[in-house]
Every structure is written in structure tokens, then in C-alpha cells.
Amino acid sequence: MTSNFIVADKFQEVKTSVTLLEAIERYGLNPIKKGSRYWALCPFHADKNPSMAIYDEAYHCYGCQAHGDVIDFTARYFNITPLEATKKLASDFGIRLEGSKPSKEAQRKIRQKQELDKLYKEYNKKFNEVYDYLCRLNQLYQKIKQAIETPEDMDIPEFVEACHMQDIVQYWLNVLLDGNIKEKIQVLKEVQEWKQRRK
Ligand SMILES: [Zn+2]
């Protein structure tokens, strides 16, 4: 038995005992319910409208892309290590960590989470890249469309493309902002394919 297993087990125990919403409320944020979800002002960037969504097991800020679970949140919020955050949560919420036995199940969950985190990081990097690209494209199309002066201009291929593509680009941007994770990944693929075809 190594101490890593014990630490992993503590992480798991705290995560199953304290929900994100409970921790976020306790530490002074005031989440508000919109539809079926809670939202809070993001403490990790200068947020004017609540852009941090509180999911069951993760928070996600649509402003600065901050993302993580209850331990990540506490660690970042108080600028402490994940282990210190785990201990803080345990003490603030009255969870006894001593004497908990490391289980295979806890180890499996930790490994699963690490894999998910890795996937999410890769996805996030790509997401930002594509999102910025689409924003620039949208602005460019806007400028091209503003330059249209006479009906004859509409015969210029760049104008035709701008008119047609701006709708699609705006649709992609909307999905990247508001879609669920599956829809977003689909858009990333579509943009990739579209870029390939243009070359
Ligand atoms: Zn943020």
C-alpha cells in the first residue's frame, strides 16, 4: 500500500461527499438558477454576467474556459494544492478522512478522471483555436458584405462566398458557445473538413 492510494481515496471520498454547488455556495459565490442549471460569476476572470456553469461533477466557465471538479475549484479559489483543498473540504464539511481504506473502485475512478482530464485538455486547446478562427472569419465576411455596393458586385465569387458562408460560420459559433459537448465536437470536425476542402 503506498501513500498515493490513500491520497487517491481521500480525493474520491471528498468528491462523493461534497457537491460543487455546496462548496461554491459555502465559499461565498452566489449561484443563481437559470433553467435547469446553476450559474455563478466566475472568480477566475473579471466576470460581469454569470458565465460559470455548475454541472453535477464539474464547473465550466464559458468566459475563460476554467474547468474542473470540486477539488480543482477549491484549490484554485484559495490558491492551494489539490491535497490541501481536499483536507480543507473535509474539515469544512465534517468528513472524516482517517481510517478510510483504499479501494480498487477509488483507484479506477481516479484513473478514469485523469484520462477524461487529458481528453478535455486536448479538446479545449482545439476549441479555442477554432473559435478564434471563426470569429476572425465572421468579421472578415462582415467587412466584405459591407463593401457590396451595386447588384453587379454580387457576381464576384468572394461576395457570394461571404453571403453564403457567414450564416454557416455564425451557426458554428453559436453551437461552440451553447451546444453540448457532442455538438461542439461535431462542429470542430465540420470546420476541420471545410478547411481541408478549401485548400
Ligand atoms: Zn471565467
Side-chain angles (χ1 to χ4, degrees), residues 4 15 18 23 43 45 84 87 106 118-119 122 125 130 132 159 172 176:
N4 269 346
K15 269 193 278 193
V18 186
H45 80 277
E84 286 165 346
K87 287 178 181 163
K118 206 177 136 216
L119 246 169
E122 282 164 16
K125 208 177 127 205
V130 171
D132 289 346
F159 284 159
W172 282 335
L176 287 184

Side-chain angles (χ1 to χ4, degrees), residues 6-110:
I6 297 168
V7 169
D9 215 44
K10 284 181 180 174
F11 279 20
Q12 200 52 52
E13 186 161 350
V14 164
K15 269 193 278 193
T16 47
S17 307
V18 186
T19 68
L20 249 172
L21 191 63
E22 285 169 336
I24 280 172
E25 280 180 327
R26 168 144 194 164
Y27 295 143
L29 274 72
N30 292 307
I32 49 163
K33 200 168 185 185
K34 271 195 265 173
S36 59
R37 185 159 298 141
Y38 279 92
W39 294 80
L41 282 174
C42 174
F44 306 129
H45 80 277
D47 199 6
K48 289 196 186 105
N49 293 304
S51 44
M52 180 182 272
I54 319 293
Y55 299 89
D56 287 344
E57 296 201 352
Y59 63 91
H60 181 82
C61 174
Y62 287 90
C64 70
Q65 309 300 322
H67 182 92
D69 60 26
V70 64
I71 293 172
D72 300 324
F73 176 86
T74 308
R76 190 161 173 195
Y77 190 65
F78 292 102
N79 197 18
I80 52 182
T81 68
L83 184 58
E84 286 165 346
T86 305
K87 287 178 181 163
K88 176 170 176 55
L89 283 164
S91 116
D92 289 348
F93 286 88
I95 302 156
R96 272 195 61 220
L97 291 177
E98 307 313 318
S100 56
K101 280 178 197 156
S103 67
K104 281 229 163 81
E105 177 64 10
Q107 292 169 43
R108 195 184 60 80
K109 280 190 177 167
I110 294 290

